Amino acid sequence: MGRILRLLSTSAPALLAAALCFHFAMTLAYLTPQNPLKLRFARLIDGYMNPLLQQNWHLFAPDPINDTRVLMVACRLRQPDGGTTETGWTDITTPYWEAHLKNRLGPATRIARSVTGAARLTYSADPTSLQIAKKLDERRARAQAGGGGSEASEEQVVDMLRSNVKKEQDEGFQLGNSVLARAGSAHCDSLYGPTRTTAVRMRMAVLKFPRFSRRDLPDSKGEMTYYDFDWAPYQPVAPLKVATEDGLQRSVASRLPVPEER
């Protein structure tokens, strides 16, 4: 027994160092732009990083954030007479940011990011893959116009890139829609009570800030765009709670303006 413990104590640093090296190597490979080596080991890299270690490169992006995104929810409610009615839109993002400003250590910002991140998943794709595929398509078109053809290896790269982009888009769309439907269901329950909602619909409002040349203008003078998601069936979820400044747990409905039914 003592020999085993000594062996473990002497090999533990080496094992820990190897595990850390492997982890950081996989993280680096995951965050690098799309390249042939990353495509070759895509299944191994994605299998290790997703879903618990998933991250993005936005912190080091060359383009700063230039818009504000707000999610809203509408609920389709069951009426006593058996019919249904649809509510107006309720902002479910701003109350979380306000709660975060009052309590920086609370869970409000994590909840908000999970929902806004799900909305981004429904339409995001790797821009590097799209750019590489576009460049190779242009090169192939020029070669064909000159009487030649593109090499077989390039054809395989283009097909692989397009397949990878489509897979990312499909998986992101399915995951994002699922999370949004659950989040919308939780908010509808919080606003109108359980068992009343039959379907939920999300809307994302994107306010693009005025450009730097018009920096004297307030953000409200920017361009507002709305993206409406399809109605999704209601999904029963656990009650939604947020941390308040007094340390108690209250229903999120107490922090949201309740819209009139329509």
Side-chain angles (χ1 to χ4, degrees):
M1 184 65 180
R3 181 179 299 178
I4 295 177
L5 292 176
R6 286 195 299 271
L7 179 62
L8 290 176
S9 63
T10 55
S11 61
L15 292 175
L16 179 60
L20 289 175
C21 290
F22 175 79
H23 171 74
F24 287 122
M26 296 295 285
T27 303
L28 179 63
Y30 181 78
L31 293 176
T32 54
Q34 203 66 268
N35 56 76
L37 186 63
K38 183 176 179 179
L39 287 173
R40 181 177 180 181
F41 298 100
R43 181 174 299 179
L44 172 63
I45 296 171
D46 291 340
Y48 177 77
M49 296 297 297
N50 294 319
L52 298 180
L53 303 176
Q54 186 179 20
Q55 42 189 301
N56 58 58
W57 201 246
H58 292 168
L59 178 62
F60 307 101
D63 300 323
I65 295 175
N66 60 1
D67 58 42
T68 294
R69 299 173 184 239
V70 174
L71 277 170
M72 296 177 279
V73 64
C75 313
R76 183 175 291 162
L77 304 177
R78 185 182 295 106
Q79 295 295 90
D81 60 2
T84 58
T85 183
E86 297 177 5
T87 69
W89 296 104
T90 299
D91 178 1
I92 64 174
T93 302
T94 303
Y96 285 122
W97 301 139
E98 293 176 348
H100 173 66
L101 292 176
K102 294 178 180 178
N103 181 8
R104 299 283 183 172
L105 300 179
T109 183
R110 294 193 295 273
I111 299 175
R113 289 185 185 279
S114 66
V115 181
T116 55
R120 291 178 183 273
L121 281 175
T122 60
Y123 61 87
S124 62
D126 181 19
T128 305
S129 298
L130 295 174
Q131 187 176 9
I132 294 175
K134 180 180 178 181
K135 292 295 184 182
L136 290 174
D137 280 339
E138 293 174 352
R139 180 175 175 178
R140 179 168 52 188
R142 288 195 298 268
Q144 292 175 350
S150 57
E151 298 180 1
S153 59
E154 291 185 356
E155 296 281 353
Q156 294 177 355
V157 171
V158 173
D159 293 340
M160 187 180 299
L161 283 171
R162 295 202 181 282
S163 176
N164 187 60
V165 170
K166 186 177 186 306
K167 179 183 177 182
E168 289 181 354
Q169 288 177 321
D170 291 343
E171 291 178 350
F173 183 80
Q174 293 174 4
L175 177 59
N177 266 337
S178 175
V179 174
L180 287 177
R182 293 178 62 82
S185 299
H187 280 90
C188 289
D189 280 349
S190 182
L191 289 167
Y192 303 104
T195 72
R196 289 197 61 193
T197 306
T198 61
V200 297
R201 189 178 193 183
M202 305 295 288
R203 164 183 282 186
M204 183 167 62
V206 180
L207 174 62
K208 185 168 290 188
F209 309 142
R211 301 301 84 196
F212 185 75
S213 60
R214 305 299 306 276
R215 58 187 178 279
D216 55 306
L217 297 177
D219 292 347
S220 59
K221 296 297 183 179
E223 178 185 355
M224 179 71 79
T225 308
Y226 296 97
Y227 299 91
D228 290 348
F229 296 88
D230 294 332
W231 284 98
Y234 168 82
Q235 297 186 29
V237 294
L240 184 63
K241 303 286 185 179
V242 295
T244 60
E245 58 275 9
D246 55 6
L248 301 177
Q249 294 289 329
R250 292 191 295 169
S251 168
V252 71
S254 63
R255 305 186 63 84
L256 292 173
V258 180
E260 296 180 357
E261 297 182 3
R262 60 178 184 181

